[in-house]
Amino acid sequence: MDAIVLLREDHKTVEKLFKRFEKTGEDDLSERRSIVDEVIQELTVHAWIEEQVFYPAAREAAPETADHILESIEEHHTVVWMLSELKDMDPADERFKAKMSVLMENVRHHVDEEEKEWFPDVRKAMGRNWLTEVGEQLEAEKDKAPRDPLAVPSAASK
Protein backbone atom coordinates (compact mmCIF):
# COMPACT_ATOMS: atom_id res chain seq x y z
CA MET A 1 0.00 0.00 0.00
CA ASP A 2 1.10 3.54 -0.76
CA ALA A 3 2.56 5.20 2.38
CA ILE A 4 0.37 8.29 2.17
CA VAL A 5 -2.76 6.20 1.64
CA LEU A 6 -1.84 4.13 4.70
CA LEU A 7 -1.30 7.25 6.84
CA ARG A 8 -4.59 8.75 5.64
CA GLU A 9 -6.37 5.51 6.56
CA ASP A 10 -4.90 5.80 10.06
CA HIS A 11 -6.14 9.40 10.20
CA LYS A 12 -9.66 8.25 9.25
CA THR A 13 -9.62 5.51 11.90
CA VAL A 14 -8.69 8.01 14.60
CA GLU A 15 -11.28 10.54 13.40
CA LYS A 16 -14.00 7.87 13.69
CA LEU A 17 -12.90 7.23 17.27
CA PHE A 18 -13.01 10.97 17.98
CA LYS A 19 -16.56 11.18 16.64
CA ARG A 20 -17.60 8.22 18.81
CA PHE A 21 -16.08 9.93 21.85
CA GLU A 22 -17.92 13.18 21.05
CA LYS A 23 -21.24 11.28 20.99
CA THR A 24 -20.78 9.81 24.46
CA GLY A 25 -22.84 11.13 27.35
CA GLU A 26 -21.63 12.19 30.77
CA ASP A 27 -22.58 8.78 32.19
CA ASP A 28 -20.78 6.72 29.50
CA LEU A 29 -17.55 6.48 31.48
CA SER A 30 -16.66 2.92 30.48
CA GLU A 31 -17.35 3.71 26.83
CA ARG A 32 -15.16 6.83 27.05
CA ARG A 33 -12.37 4.81 28.66
CA SER A 34 -12.60 2.16 25.95
CA ILE A 35 -12.51 4.72 23.12
CA VAL A 36 -9.60 6.60 24.69
CA ASP A 37 -7.67 3.34 25.06
CA GLU A 38 -8.17 2.67 21.34
CA VAL A 39 -7.10 6.24 20.51
CA ILE A 40 -3.96 5.82 22.60
CA GLN A 41 -3.00 2.65 20.76
CA GLU A 42 -3.79 4.03 17.30
CA LEU A 43 -1.97 7.33 17.79
CA THR A 44 1.04 5.78 19.52
CA VAL A 45 1.58 3.32 16.67
CA HIS A 46 0.91 6.03 14.08
CA ALA A 47 3.38 8.49 15.61
CA TRP A 48 5.99 5.72 15.88
CA ILE A 49 5.77 4.66 12.23
CA GLU A 50 5.78 8.25 11.02
CA GLU A 51 8.86 9.11 13.05
CA GLN A 52 10.75 5.88 12.39
CA VAL A 53 9.98 5.42 8.70
CA PHE A 54 7.90 8.07 6.94
CA TYR A 55 9.46 11.31 8.14
CA PRO A 56 13.05 10.26 7.33
CA ALA A 57 11.97 9.03 3.87
CA ALA A 58 9.93 12.19 3.21
CA ARG A 59 12.82 14.39 4.28
CA GLU A 60 15.17 12.54 1.95
CA ALA A 61 12.76 12.74 -0.99
CA ALA A 62 11.55 16.29 -0.40
CA PRO A 63 14.14 18.24 1.64
CA GLU A 64 11.96 21.35 1.36
CA THR A 65 9.47 19.68 3.75
CA ALA A 66 12.01 19.63 6.60
CA ASP A 67 10.32 22.50 8.49
CA HIS A 68 6.92 20.77 8.23
CA ILE A 69 8.44 17.52 9.49
CA LEU A 70 10.14 19.23 12.43
CA GLU A 71 6.88 20.95 13.34
CA SER A 72 5.07 17.61 13.08
CA ILE A 73 7.55 16.02 15.47
CA GLU A 74 6.89 18.81 17.97
CA GLU A 75 3.15 18.26 17.56
CA HIS A 76 3.74 14.55 18.22
CA HIS A 77 5.62 15.51 21.39
CA THR A 78 2.54 17.28 22.73
CA VAL A 79 0.19 14.50 21.64
CA VAL A 80 2.15 11.59 23.11
CA TRP A 81 2.43 13.34 26.48
CA MET A 82 -1.32 13.97 26.48
CA LEU A 83 -1.86 10.30 25.57
CA SER A 84 0.34 9.22 28.48
CA GLU A 85 -1.72 11.38 30.84
CA LEU A 86 -5.02 10.05 29.49
CA LYS A 87 -3.74 6.49 29.80
CA ASP A 88 -3.60 6.75 33.57
CA MET A 89 -6.51 9.14 34.09
CA ASP A 90 -9.83 8.07 35.55
CA PRO A 91 -12.65 8.85 33.08
CA ALA A 92 -14.61 10.24 36.05
CA ASP A 93 -11.92 12.91 36.53
CA GLU A 94 -13.42 16.28 35.64
CA ARG A 95 -10.42 16.98 33.36
CA PHE A 96 -10.68 13.72 31.36
CA LYS A 97 -13.15 14.99 28.75
CA ALA A 98 -11.41 18.38 28.53
CA LYS A 99 -8.00 16.76 28.00
CA MET A 100 -9.47 14.52 25.30
CA SER A 101 -11.04 17.56 23.61
CA VAL A 102 -7.70 19.37 23.51
CA LEU A 103 -6.04 16.21 22.18
CA MET A 104 -8.63 15.99 19.40
CA GLU A 105 -8.07 19.64 18.44
CA ASN A 106 -4.31 19.10 18.29
CA VAL A 107 -4.56 15.92 16.25
CA ARG A 108 -7.10 17.38 13.82
CA HIS A 109 -4.82 20.39 13.25
CA HIS A 110 -1.83 18.08 12.72
CA VAL A 111 -3.73 15.86 10.25
CA ASP A 112 -5.01 18.87 8.33
CA GLU A 113 -1.50 20.29 7.92
CA GLU A 114 -0.02 16.96 6.87
CA GLU A 115 -2.70 16.09 4.36
CA LYS A 116 -3.13 19.53 2.80
CA GLU A 117 0.22 21.27 3.16
CA TRP A 118 2.96 18.74 2.67
CA PHE A 119 1.73 15.26 1.70
CA PRO A 120 1.18 16.51 -1.88
CA ASP A 121 4.82 17.64 -2.10
CA VAL A 122 6.04 14.34 -0.70
CA ARG A 123 3.83 12.38 -3.12
CA LYS A 124 5.28 14.30 -6.05
CA ALA A 125 8.87 13.88 -4.87
CA MET A 126 8.64 10.19 -3.96
CA GLY A 127 6.66 8.75 -6.83
CA ARG A 128 4.54 5.62 -6.82
CA ASN A 129 7.25 2.96 -6.42
CA TRP A 130 9.00 4.62 -3.51
CA LEU A 131 5.68 5.38 -1.80
CA THR A 132 4.71 1.71 -2.12
CA GLU A 133 8.06 0.59 -0.72
CA VAL A 134 7.75 3.00 2.22
CA GLY A 135 4.13 1.89 2.74
CA GLU A 136 5.33 -1.71 3.13
CA GLN A 137 7.92 -0.54 5.66
CA LEU A 138 5.23 1.38 7.59
CA GLU A 139 3.00 -1.69 7.68
CA ALA A 140 5.86 -3.89 8.93
CA GLU A 141 6.84 -1.32 11.57
CA LYS A 142 3.30 -1.27 13.03
CA ASP A 143 3.88 -4.69 14.58
CA LYS A 144 7.12 -3.51 16.20
CA ALA A 145 5.71 -0.22 17.46
CA PRO A 146 5.47 0.28 21.23
CA ARG A 147 2.10 0.70 22.88
CA ASP A 148 3.45 3.16 25.45
CA PRO A 149 3.15 6.73 24.14
CA LEU A 150 6.30 7.78 26.02
CA ALA A 151 8.34 5.23 24.04
CA VAL A 152 7.79 7.27 20.86
CA PRO A 153 11.02 9.18 20.08
CA SER A 154 9.30 12.59 20.06
CA ALA A 155 8.28 12.08 23.70
CA ALA A 156 11.85 12.83 24.75
CA SER A 157 12.62 16.48 25.22
CA LYS A 158 15.85 17.33 23.47
Side-chain angles (χ1 to χ4, degrees), residues 1-4 6-7 45-46 48-58 60 126 129-145:
M1 179 186 292
D2 171 316
I4 291 175
L6 182 144
L7 295 174
V45 169
H46 183 79
W48 174 268
I49 67 172
E50 280 189 328
E51 291 179 30
Q52 295 297 111
V53 178
F54 186 71
Y55 290 170
E60 181 183 337
M126 281 186 146
N129 291 340
W130 197 1
L131 280 169
T132 301
E133 184 182 314
V134 171
E136 290 168 5
Q137 292 170 13
L138 291 172
E139 195 65 54
E141 193 66 29
K142 279 189 173 195
D143 293 333
K144 300 175 199 168

Side-chain angles (χ1 to χ4, degrees), residues 55-95:
Y55 290 170
R59 201 168 180 175
E60 181 183 337
E64 69 279 6
T65 64
D67 286 345
H68 287 295
I69 292 168
L70 292 171
E71 183 179 322
S72 290
I73 290 168
E74 292 305 316
E75 289 169 347
H76 281 190
H77 177 79
T78 302
V79 166
V80 296
W81 276 94
M82 291 183 79
L83 293 174
S84 75
E85 292 169 357
L86 282 162
K87 188 174 117 189
D88 299 323
M89 188 177 267
D90 184 334
D93 186 308
E94 67 178 355
R95 294 176 52 219

Side-chain angles (χ1 to χ4, degrees), residues 109-127:
H109 167 80
H110 174 78
V111 166
D112 192 54
E113 280 188 342
E114 277 189 345
E115 291 189 357
K116 292 179 179 161
E117 293 181 22
W118 63 276
F119 276 6
D121 294 335
V122 173
R123 176 172 295 292
K124 225 181 291 175
M126 281 186 146

Side-chain angles (χ1 to χ4, degrees), residues 32-43:
R32 283 186 178 172
R33 174 80 266 161
S34 174
I35 293 167
V36 168
D37 289 343
E38 284 184 67
V39 167
I40 291 166
Q41 179 168 319
E42 289 292 332
L43 288 177

